[in-house]
Amino acid sequence: MTAILGNEKALDIPRGPVTATVIVMGQGDEDVVLTAHAIDAGTTVRSPRPTTVQLIDITGHVELGVEPRAGGVFAPGTLLLLTLRGTEGTEVRLPELDVAGRGPRTLVAIDVCDERTLAVAAVNPRGERPLPPLAAAARSEGRARLGVDQTEQTVHLAVLVDLSASMRLALADGRVAAALDVIAGLSHVIGEGRELTAWLGLAEPIAVPASEARLLAGATVEEAARHGSGIGFRAAPRRSLAASPSVTYIVTDGVPADLADLPISGPDTHHLVLTGDGFAAPAGLPASTLPATGGRSAVDHLLTTPGALAELVASMLAAVPIAAHPAVTRTVDGDH
């Protein structure tokens, strides 16, 4: 009998020995270690190989998890399939799980119900929040760069998109959308991971209606088209765009005229995301460049050009005050 372990409740299986095996889809098994943590000292745990755990005498709470063998986070494209086999031909499977860019995590908990029954439950029943391909790749790259699923302390993220007439091409060819997708992905590592504050920049900022991170690029570009371009862009508006501590990413095609008004230190920092490679940010102000791609999709360029996304993500993390501070991996992360 095979049962799929869902999100709603635990499954009961006959009490007895349990063998757990993890299969790594599309990657080598040598990159993954299956772990077991038994609360009760009476439980016998054996690991004949890195991807297999045998629980001989389960006398109390046991948690099964996975971790990258080399430490840090799992490689891009890592998909796991966990199977538990018990007595009387029982088999329990956890739905295929994408752990790319994630650190060690607990997957399943086993508890003793009575003399005849064990209860098996998913610890992380909900998977990753869905993101567009580039945002998901940026999320994985950010986790790999920091070595954690999500930083212990989050910062508030805001995006200010320059609506000057010179930005029309970057809006039309997808470079602005690509930058927004990367920021959306990073928000799941360093930010709130749910909503981002997006603004359109003219003389005064115009708020983009709140949306989930996965919808950020589309909502912002659509709102920009509705308002059209203008003059008088201010990179340092008179009003605060995010709660403190914060990082405001300014997507523009040149160095703003009011650059001197931007704070570059303290709890609230700014970071230029330049959509052209003909400008250089002044010393002291973090900046990233998303160069023109000669008509090629900026999303495709970042996803397929070796090192392009890694370089962009590394530079975009430079503005984050907590990036250099200790962080933790969240193994029970709800819906992040």
Side-chain angles (χ1 to χ4, degrees), residues 189-209:
V189 186
I190 60 174
E192 297 298 288
R194 297 179 184 273
E195 291 185 356
L196 292 177
T197 307
W199 303 80
L200 304 177
L202 290 171
E204 291 296 331
I206 302 169
V208 175

Side-chain angles (χ1 to χ4, degrees), residues 139-157:
R139 174 174 60 190
S140 294
E141 191 63 49
R143 287 171 173 165
R145 174 69 53 174
L146 297 179
V148 294
D149 286 2
Q150 187 176 37
T151 52
E152 185 176 28
Q153 176 193 357
T154 60
V155 294
H156 298 275
L157 299 182

Side-chain angles (χ1 to χ4, degrees), residues 64-81:
L64 297 173
V66 288
E67 62 184 36
R69 177 174 291 192
V73 297
F74 290 105
T78 303
L79 301 175
L80 303 181
L81 185 62

Side-chain angles (χ1 to χ4, degrees), residues 183-321:
I183 294 167
L186 293 181
S187 76
H188 285 258
V189 186
I190 60 174
E192 297 298 288
R194 297 179 184 273
E195 291 185 356
L196 292 177
T197 307
W199 303 80
L200 304 177
L202 290 171
E204 291 296 331
I206 302 169
V208 175
S211 64
E212 296 180 45
R214 65 187 177 89
L215 303 175
L216 176 72
T220 304
V221 172
E222 181 179 337
E223 194 71 5
R226 192 171 74 84
H227 284 278
S229 57
I231 59 175
F233 170 62
R234 289 180 57 87
R238 286 180 283 271
R239 61 184 295 185
S240 175
L241 302 185
S244 184
S246 68
V247 174
T248 299
Y249 288 101
I250 302 167
V251 183
T252 182
D253 61 349
V255 177
D258 59 344
L259 181 69
D261 297 331
L262 287 176
I264 60 175
S265 62
D268 303 309
T269 61
H270 293 74
H271 187 110
L272 292 183
V273 181
L274 300 170
T275 60
D277 52 9
F279 302 92
L285 181 66
S288 305
T289 299
L290 192 64
T293 56
R296 184 185 179 196
S297 162
V299 170
D300 289 346
H301 170 75
L302 289 171
L303 286 175
T304 61
T305 303
L309 181 59
E311 182 178 348
L312 180 63
V313 166
S315 66
M316 291 179 72
L317 289 174
V320 183

Side-chain angles (χ1 to χ4, degrees), residues 14 117 136 235 266 330:
T117 311
R330 296 184 178 180

